[in-house]
Amino acid sequence: MNEQQPTPQQVRRALARAERGAALDVDEATVLLAATGADLDRLTAAAAKVRDAGLVAAGRPAVVTYSPKVFIPVTKLCRDRCHYCTFVESPGQLTRAGHAMFLSPDEILDIASQGAAMGCLEALFTLGDRPEDRWPEARAWLDEQGYDSTLAYVRAMAVRVLEETGLLPHLNPGVMSWEELNRLKPVSPSMGMMLETTSRRLFETKGEAHFGSPDKDPDVRMRVLEDAGRLSIPFTTGLLVGIGETLEERAETIFALRQVSRAFGSVQEVIVQNFRAKPDTAMRHADDLGLDEYRATIAVTRIVLGPKARVQAPPNLVDLEECRLLLGAGVDDWGGVSPLTPDHVNPERPWPSLERLREITAQCGFDLQARLTVHPEYVRAGEPWLDPRVSGHVAALATEDGLARPGVRPSGLPWQEPDGGFASVGRTDLFEAVDSEGRTDDRRSDFANVYGDWDEVQSAADRTGGFETGAGAPSSTTGWDALKAAEKDPGNLSDEHALTLMTAEGDLLREVCRLADDLRKETVGDDVTYVVNRNINFTNVCYVGCRFCAFAQRRTDADAYSLSLDEVADRAEEAWDLGATEVCMQGGIDPELPASAYFDLVSAVKQRVPDMHVHAFSPMEVVNGTARTGLSIEDFLIKAREAGLGSLPGTAAEILDDEVRWVLTKGKLPTKTWVEIVSTAHRVGLPTTSTMMYGHVDHPRHWVGHLKVLARIQDASFEAGGAAFTEFVPLPFVHTSAPIYLAGVARPGPTLRDNLAVHAMARIMLHGRISNIQTSWVKLGVDGTRAMLQAGANDVGGTLMEETISRMAGSEHGSAKTVAELVEIGAGIGRPVRERTTTYGVR
């Protein structure tokens, strides 16, 4: 595309700002990308200064790094059709060359073993995106080998490489879902995927570089980077320069990389890769990226990303002498260099000799040192960046500062669960030890970084729309029209009518509550129900980074604890002796839990108290279990059911809208995964509850949307004839000790109006689907609970005996109720109270 070039005055004005260290915007970055001659020299000098300051701050001044690696092309099949790619081949080409559709396990291990013998430390797994979606031959090969997908095969081979060679896998399989990233994290210290460009024009326009390649959708690729950040995966990414993008599009890509890096701190390096035309491709006649344009892009990337960023340029894609100019533009890493395998993506460009690269680096004033596939900052930090199952493999190769140990030769180590299994750890007296506000300290020790960048969180919260009482009602309908619609067909309200009633105030709100209470009486009668149960929060060690949660602790924090299996069973037995029929077990996502942890917990309770109903494990814990065991969601749930699991709590729902979820939490599962897990639970015969936490950064339209998602799930469960939701539990946000409130992002919980509207509208919108609406005495207290029981609710939950999560968040309403106290709640409004089972049977 032809684009207007900036004037010399514009370039020098932007250059002066860059030299002063001022923050650049996209327009200024675009101008600087066009710098040439003396202006380019000034630009690269400014970038080099930023790089040098960053290396000093990192504790390794004048050190440039590289990763000694082997390149393992797992498969050259791909479902995409990138116009510049020579890596990909068709099944026919592979067959004619005498190759199988995938490298065999023996071939993969042979490459890795040879690399280990030569001192390589990284096994770079590179492959095409989801070839089985395009090529039947790929699907047939996987089926023959017993793998459900290419990524399942990659996971299995990563484990074998760890165990049999000690090389550290770096997985680069293209676009991955949140679930897939989560399943691969335990087998790989780092992963990667080039963003390449954020240009939708190159993706959507016929004849452009990414047209016809579904995995090159910039929005999809940005989602992968964000999901990797949410899961605390050290992630390599970058931009591919010169594939037809404009300078402005190039600048926008750099700023997109900066945004995701700042939000999550997970971008361990940014590769600036220059396009080089290859024969036999659609872009074979395109010009290679010019060296000056490449230097400008590296320099602008360095300046925009700042001193903490690691900026890499592949040394084999320029002439070796030109590497000096790349160092001068701000590069501080050469990426992977292999003494064994070629660059299969750029086979025409051999790796430089390590000796010559070291010499040139030294001539530029730098010491070339080897690193691991995971960069030093993440090696030193450990959890949550490194899964415990690979941390030992990393430690075997790393120095104290996180670089590679000089002269180290990897050797295979078992890939296994952390030592110790289930054991009592930390403050198991925490239930008695916390102060009157629920915890010993104001916040966990890693408050400043575990939740991501708070400025980015605030920006995301602003985009959710905020909330003021009465805001959001459409002007095209009146409240009384909406009420009439609700009276006529409560379970099938339009979005417009539902939002109108959800934002009701005054007389209209009173009528909404009256209708909800009438529907409650019609559906379940006047009885207020409860279950005698005990909550067992078996660990509070968690690194997910939920920004609303004051319960989670770092392992080394004073308030951290984990219960042993015997302690869990003891609590269950004690509860049974006190008349409980249910234990509800949930805990933090502790990376050191054994793979069998969830099954072991259920078995421990059932062996001690065979008739106790075990209501346990949120969808987040289920997805953690699938990642640790390698089981599918369905197989995991079936195995848990066989161990004695009776039902699942539908917590971890928060708000079933990712716009809000990604503000509330850094790393919790996305909406579609929550839906998949509860739907699968229903299908395999496990009933679940459903919940919604509200009153933080959300808007009433999110509440309406959430309830509609639950209604669709219940409809599908009814149609399938399996289990279903037993109840809906609105959970008011408890703000007191919540990090997102302490950081000034969230509002201080819902108002009484909000609580009444949510409970009443839940009864109305879920009418005919979910019969039981529970109100939380833990969060609302006695008076609040009574008010909700007159606005559509019919259940007060359980006696709990202890409920650590709400208490540590700052709830003022205690952590246990006696049966007599629950009876008194109902008596205060003239309603009978009776005990129930977990699934609402009569006791």
Side-chain angles (χ1 to χ4, degrees), residues 218-239:
D219 294 341
V220 171
R221 297 180 86 78
M222 280 296 295
R223 191 266 306 155
V224 174
L225 301 187
E226 291 163 355
D227 283 348
R230 293 178 181 114
L231 289 165
S232 297
I233 295 171
F235 210 77
T236 296
T237 185
L239 57 159

Side-chain angles (χ1 to χ4, degrees), residues 229 232-235 258-268 377-378 385 449 452-453 666:
S232 297
I233 295 171
F235 210 77
R258 185 181 75 170
Q259 184 273 324
V260 75
S261 179
R262 286 184 174 182
F264 303 105
S266 55
V267 175
Q268 65 167 0
E377 293 80 0
Y378 303 91
W385 301 104
N449 54 55
D453 182 85
K666 176 187 172 187

Side-chain angles (χ1 to χ4, degrees), residues 437-438 535 537 548-551 731-737 776-780 800 802-815:
E437 293 190 358
N535 266 28
N537 302 126
F548 58 85
C549 180
F551 167 73
L731 299 171
F733 171 57
V734 178
H735 71 282
T736 311
S737 299
S776 174
W777 60 259
V778 175
K779 300 180 187 297
L780 290 168
L800 299 186
E802 65 200 30
E803 205 286 324
T804 314
I805 295 174
S806 292
R807 183 153 56 106
M808 294 187 80
S811 174
E812 301 173 349
H813 304 299
S815 59

Side-chain angles (χ1 to χ4, degrees), residues 334-565:
W334 291 124
V337 177
S338 179
L340 175 66
T341 53
D343 179 352
H344 288 275
V345 175
N346 300 281
E348 78 285 3
R349 302 292 304 186
W351 304 110
S353 75
L354 191 56
E355 292 75 16
R356 185 69 180 122
L357 187 63
R358 190 183 306 279
E359 179 183 332
I360 285 178
T361 303
Q363 290 171 359
C364 294
F366 296 94
D367 181 23
L368 183 63
Q369 293 189 24
R371 61 165 172 84
L372 306 181
T373 177
V374 58
H375 277 250
E377 293 80 0
Y378 303 91
V379 175
R380 294 196 302 269
E383 291 178 341
W385 301 104
L386 296 180
D387 188 280
R389 283 166 289 185
V390 295
S391 59
H393 300 80
V394 172
L397 304 177
T399 62
E400 288 187 2
D401 62 6
L403 291 168
R405 285 200 285 123
V408 68
R409 288 291 187 270
S411 59
L413 293 172
W415 181 81
Q416 59 187 17
E417 302 307 323
D419 292 338
F422 261 107
S424 178
V425 177
R427 292 288 299 279
T428 55
D429 64 334
L430 183 67
F431 309 109
E432 291 78 32
V434 292
D435 65 19
S436 60
E437 293 190 358
R439 59 188 298 166
T440 58
D441 294 308
D442 175 58
R443 57 193 72 186
R444 60 187 283 171
S445 61
D446 54 355
F447 181 92
N449 54 55
V450 72
Y451 305 108
D453 182 85
W454 284 111
D455 290 337
E456 292 293 334
V457 174
Q458 181 65 69
S459 296
D462 293 342
R463 293 192 292 271
T464 67
F467 174 53
E468 296 178 2
T469 301
S475 59
S476 59
T477 189
T478 70
W480 302 108
D481 289 339
L483 183 65
K484 288 179 183 177
E487 290 172 332
K488 182 178 180 181
D489 190 3
N492 293 293
L493 282 174
S494 68
D495 290 352
E496 184 179 34
H497 283 150
L499 183 56
T500 298
L501 298 181
M502 189 69 85
T503 55
E505 299 182 81
D507 289 343
L508 181 60
L509 178 60
R510 281 187 282 276
E511 285 301 304
V512 170
C513 292
R514 185 269 311 160
L515 173 60
D517 204 41
D518 289 347
L519 291 172
R520 181 270 307 161
K521 187 170 184 177
E522 172 189 323
T523 303
V524 293
D526 283 333
D527 286 355
V528 174
T529 52
Y530 68 93
V531 63
V532 181
N533 69 350
R534 181 173 196 167
N535 266 28
I536 302 176
N537 302 126
F538 52 86
T539 182
N540 67 348
V541 175
C542 189
Y543 292 89
V544 171
C546 293
R547 300 174 179 122
F548 58 85
C549 180
F551 167 73
Q553 298 286 291
R554 197 176 186 178
R555 191 180 318 284
T556 55
D557 287 349
D559 288 340
Y561 74 86
S562 294
L563 302 180
S564 69
L565 290 175

Side-chain angles (χ1 to χ4, degrees), residues 458-788:
Q458 181 65 69
S459 296
D462 293 342
R463 293 192 292 271
T464 67
F467 174 53
E468 296 178 2
T469 301
S475 59
S476 59
T477 189
T478 70
W480 302 108
D481 289 339
L483 183 65
K484 288 179 183 177
E487 290 172 332
K488 182 178 180 181
D489 190 3
N492 293 293
L493 282 174
S494 68
D495 290 352
E496 184 179 34
H497 283 150
L499 183 56
T500 298
L501 298 181
M502 189 69 85
T503 55
E505 299 182 81
D507 289 343
L508 181 60
L509 178 60
R510 281 187 282 276
E511 285 301 304
V512 170
C513 292
R514 185 269 311 160
L515 173 60
D517 204 41
D518 289 347
L519 291 172
R520 181 270 307 161
K521 187 170 184 177
E522 172 189 323
T523 303
V524 293
D526 283 333
D527 286 355
V528 174
T529 52
Y530 68 93
V531 63
V532 181
N533 69 350
R534 181 173 196 167
N535 266 28
I536 302 176
N537 302 126
F538 52 86
T539 182
N540 67 348
V541 175
C542 189
Y543 292 89
V544 171
C546 293
R547 300 174 179 122
F548 58 85
C549 180
F551 167 73
Q553 298 286 291
R554 197 176 186 178
R555 191 180 318 284
T556 55
D557 287 349
D559 288 340
Y561 74 86
S562 294
L563 302 180
S564 69
L565 290 175
D566 283 343
E567 287 172 321
V568 170
D570 289 345
R571 281 166 164 76
E573 185 175 26
E574 181 182 66
W576 180 264
D577 292 342
L578 292 171
T581 59
E582 171 198 301
V583 289
C584 177
M585 295 194 297
Q586 297 181 88
I589 307 302
D590 181 354
E592 292 196 2
L593 283 178
S596 62
Y598 299 111
F599 312 131
D600 295 342
L601 284 161
V602 176
S603 296
V605 172
K606 296 298 283 187
Q607 288 170 11
R608 186 75 65 85
V609 192
D611 292 331
M612 182 71 82
H613 183 101
V614 179
H615 178 68
F617 313 138
S618 72
M620 184 64 200
E621 290 169 284
V622 171
V623 81
N624 184 51
T626 63
R628 305 189 77 73
T629 61
L631 296 172
S632 68
I633 292 171
E634 181 171 345
D635 288 343
F636 178 89
L637 290 171
I638 289 172
K639 188 169 182 177
R641 186 193 65 197
E642 291 170 346
L645 184 66
S647 57
L648 273 71
T651 49
E654 326 321 346
I655 294 289
L656 293 174
D657 184 314
D658 287 344
E659 176 186 50
V660 177
R661 291 181 74 78
W662 299 141
V663 178
L664 291 175
T665 174
K666 176 187 172 187
K668 193 167 275 190
L669 74 173
T671 296
K672 66 181 181 63
T673 308
W674 191 95
V675 171
E676 180 184 4
I677 289 170
V678 296
S679 300
T680 304
H682 295 171
R683 189 170 66 250
V684 302
L686 287 168
T688 74
T689 62
S690 57
T691 64
M692 179 178 78
M693 187 184 72
Y694 62 98
H696 30 75
V697 298
D698 46 356
H699 183 280
R701 71 174 184 275
H702 298 120
W703 308 342
V704 170
H706 185 106
L707 292 172
K708 293 226 166 188
V709 170
L710 297 182
R712 289 194 293 272
I713 296 171
Q714 192 77 327
D715 287 345
S717 296
F718 285 163
E719 184 177 349
F725 291 129
T726 54
E727 69 223 63
F728 172 67
V729 190
L731 299 171
F733 171 57
V734 178
H735 71 282
T736 311
S737 299
I740 197 169
Y741 176 74
L742 296 175
V745 177
R747 60 186 185 272
T751 64
L752 175 60
R753 189 221 73 83
D754 298 341
N755 290 328
L756 289 169
V758 167
H759 284 75
M761 287 303 295
R763 170 62 68 187
I764 291 169
M765 293 179 66
L766 299 174
H767 181 64
R769 295 182 174 94
I770 301 177
S771 298
N772 301 292
I773 306 297
Q774 184 184 120
T775 182
S776 174
W777 60 259
V778 175
K779 300 180 187 297
L780 290 168
V782 171
D783 290 341
T785 298
R786 285 172 174 163
M788 302 310 121

